[in-house]
């Protein structure tokens, strides 16, 4: 057995001396352990390091998002054995926005299998903006079929249309209940954000209609776009998001409530699409710096998943041009580096 340099991480999940090799993590079931001060220090120091970073600006194409306090800044990390670490503001809630797409995709994969999503939507990065219409045309005309993914708006609206339920109400309850199971508490909708986006989302309505025209959405495209808009308006704080990410990190069992939310064998499919498309046209840059599957939302949240280790989330509403929170990207990158959580980082041997 080799001695790992990942002292911080090994002691965090297992409460044992840092003697496990990287390969052992996959088979390792962490025991309950005390809080690891090294993780708390990483969060505290990272919080301080980026406290005054004011780059970027709130999304304003959804009018209600322009009014959100741009200074909200909270970090949360939840380990696969249910330890919760936080720094900064973990009380303030923002709308989940595109991070919701991950969990609706997870739901459809649970209900209909990973092949279904692959065949009907695709699992390839578009390399284009999240609400690109050209990407739909390109997929259809140049690539000849479902060559997008559930994390860009066209694929996400179609994915929402595939959730089983019968009535709008049944579908909605099922989606909100599913998100709540991931978060470990009953979540609710920010009605102001929902109304604001519903009044101004003509572009998404057009995308829904186009996806219907091409047969990706089978019926009621207006309803699919409306439910999609509602799912984006669910309110979350940093701890909710970190717990949702940690549930994926823990193979589909919420490590705080211990409820199994997802079949473990379906989790890698969700993480794969997050890795290739979670930060849209900047997904490559993100992966280059962190190696972790992640997802951003224009509400200012970003989640990242260190499989078998932890879920992390940062909320900070100021965004860059790609629609990703500037400070959340910087803070997560910093913490991932400090904790040696990039799975591509292997100790020199
Ligand atoms: O559909 C939209 O435009 C928003 N409800 C969500 C977009 C979003 O969060 C993109 N993420 N970075």
């Amino acid at each position: 057995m080799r001695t790992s340099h990942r002292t911080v991480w090994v002691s965090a999940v297992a409460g044992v001396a840092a003697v496990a090799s990287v390969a052992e993590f996959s088979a390792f079931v962490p025991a309950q352990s005390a809080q690891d001060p090294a993780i708390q220090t990483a969060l505290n120091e990272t919080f301080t390091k980026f406290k005054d970073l004011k780059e970027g600006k709130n999304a304003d194409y959804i009018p209600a998002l322009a009014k959100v306090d741009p200074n909200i800044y909270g970090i949360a990390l939840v380990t696969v054995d249910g330890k919760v670490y936080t720094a900064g503001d973990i009380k303030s809630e923002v709308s989940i926005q595109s991070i919701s797409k991950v969990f609706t995709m997870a739901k459809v994969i649970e209900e209909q299998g990973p092949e279904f999503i692959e065949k009907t939507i695709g699992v390839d990065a578009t390399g284009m903006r999240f609400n690109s219409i050209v990407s739909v045309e390109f997929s259809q005309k140049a690539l000849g079929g479902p060559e997008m993914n559930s994390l860009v708006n066209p694929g996400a609206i179609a994915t929402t249309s595939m959730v089983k339920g019968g009535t709008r109400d049944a579908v909605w309850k099922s989606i909100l209940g599913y998100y709540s199971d991931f978060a470990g508490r009953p979540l609710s909708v920010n009605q102001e954000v929902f109304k604001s986006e519903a009044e101004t989302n003509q572009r998404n309505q057009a995308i829904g209609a186009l996806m219907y025209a091409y047969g990706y959405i089978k019926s009621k495209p207006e309803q699919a776009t409306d439910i999609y808009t509602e799912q984006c308006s669910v309110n979350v704080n940093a701890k909710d998001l970190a717990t949702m990410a940690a549930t994926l990190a823990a193979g589909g069992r919420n490590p705080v409530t211990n409820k199994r939310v997802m079949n473990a064998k379906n989790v890698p499919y969700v993480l794969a699409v997050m890795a290739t498309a979670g930060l849209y046209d900047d997904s490559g840059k993100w992966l280059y710096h962190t190696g972790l599957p992640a997802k951003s939302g224009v509400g200012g949240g970003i989640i990242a998943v260190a499989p078998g280790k932890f879920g992390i989330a940062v909320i900070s509403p100021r965004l860059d041009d790609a629609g990703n929170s500037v400070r959340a990207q910087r803070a997560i990158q910093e913490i991932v580096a400090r904790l040696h959580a990039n799975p591509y980082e292997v100790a020199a041997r």
Side-chain angles (χ1 to χ4, degrees):
M1 184 163 68
R2 290 184 61 86
T3 300
S4 166
H5 293 293
R6 284 149 184 74
T7 311
V8 169
W9 181 248
V10 176
S11 61
V13 293
V16 297
V19 291
S21 73
V22 173
E24 277 173 304
F25 278 122
S26 54
F28 189 69
V29 180
Q32 282 298 320
S33 59
Q35 295 265 335
D36 187 326
I39 295 184
Q40 190 57 55
T41 302
L43 261 62
N44 292 347
E45 290 182 2
T46 300
F47 178 82
T48 306
K49 181 168 177 179
F50 297 115
K51 206 167 173 311
D52 298 321
L53 179 64
K54 303 267 191 261
E55 242 173 77
K57 67 179 194 46
N58 282 30
D60 57 8
Y61 72 98
I62 299 170
L65 297 188
K67 294 196 281 176
V68 172
D69 178 359
N71 297 313
I72 294 172
Y73 178 32
I75 305 179
L77 183 153
V78 178
T79 64
V80 294
D81 64 345
K83 298 283 179 299
V84 179
Y85 300 84
T86 65
D89 179 355
I90 53 149
K91 286 229 165 69
S92 292
E93 297 181 340
V94 296
S95 51
I96 190 169
Q97 296 299 337
S98 285
I99 301 171
S100 69
K101 294 166 176 168
V102 169
F103 302 96
T104 301
M105 173 174 62
K107 185 162 188 43
V108 172
I109 288 178
E110 282 287 282
E111 291 177 352
Q112 310 199 49
E115 299 77 18
F116 179 77
I117 282 285
E118 187 177 8
K119 288 203 183 98
T120 57
I121 307 282
V123 292
D124 278 303
T126 64
M128 296 185 209
R129 283 190 66 78
F130 61 85
N131 58 1
S132 167
I133 290 173
V134 169
S135 71
V136 179
E137 291 295 322
F138 185 72
S139 168
Q140 196 65 21
K141 302 274 161 54
L143 305 174
E147 293 263 356
M148 52 189 115
N149 64 76
S150 297
L151 301 184
V152 286
N153 290 14
I157 295 168
T159 302
T160 297
S161 80
M162 292 164 178
V163 173
K164 292 199 183 294
T167 65
R168 187 205 185 281
D169 196 41
V171 171
W172 173 246
K173 282 202 174 108
S174 172
I175 289 175
L176 186 62
Y178 198 57
Y179 292 5
S180 300
D181 283 346
F182 271 98
R185 72 168 182 116
L187 299 176
S188 58
V189 170
N190 182 324
Q191 293 298 340
E192 191 195 346
V193 171
F194 180 31
K195 184 167 180 289
S196 175
E197 183 165 355
E199 284 169 358
T200 54
N201 69 346
Q202 287 74 26
R203 187 180 177 95
N204 280 346
Q205 291 174 35
I207 288 173
L210 187 62
M211 292 300 276
Y212 178 60
Y214 283 141
Y216 292 94
I217 295 176
K218 299 296 176 206
S219 71
K220 301 188 193 150
E222 303 85 2
Q223 177 175 299
T225 307
D226 189 48
I227 299 177
Y228 162 82
T229 307
E230 190 163 11
Q231 79 177 42
C232 288
S233 309
V234 168
N235 257 345
V236 282
N237 59 38
K239 188 189 157 206
D240 294 329
L241 286 177
T243 309
M244 295 173 94
T247 301
L248 293 172
R253 185 194 297 276
N254 183 319
V256 177
T257 63
N258 274 324
K259 180 170 181 171
R260 174 150 300 284
V261 181
M262 212 184 154
N263 199 317
K265 75 174 175 29
N266 286 333
V267 172
Y269 299 107
V270 174
L271 296 181
V273 183
M274 290 171 73
T276 53
L279 269 74
Y280 305 113
D281 34 329
D282 276 351
S283 298
K285 275 185 218 137
W286 172 264
L287 202 63
Y288 196 77
H289 288 287
T290 64
L292 294 185
K295 186 74 204 83
S296 59
V298 289
I302 297 185
I303 61 170
V305 178
K309 299 175 183 173
F310 62 79
I312 185 170
V314 175
I315 291 177
S316 175
R318 292 191 184 91
L319 311 179
D320 64 16
D321 289 344
N324 302 319
S325 166
V326 176
R327 189 154 54 178
Q329 289 179 79
R330 299 281 288 280
I332 296 176
Q333 278 175 27
E334 175 84 15
I335 292 167
V336 168
R338 283 174 181 252
L339 299 182
H340 300 285
N342 182 334
Y344 301 128
E345 180 189 323
V346 176
R349 50 185 78 211

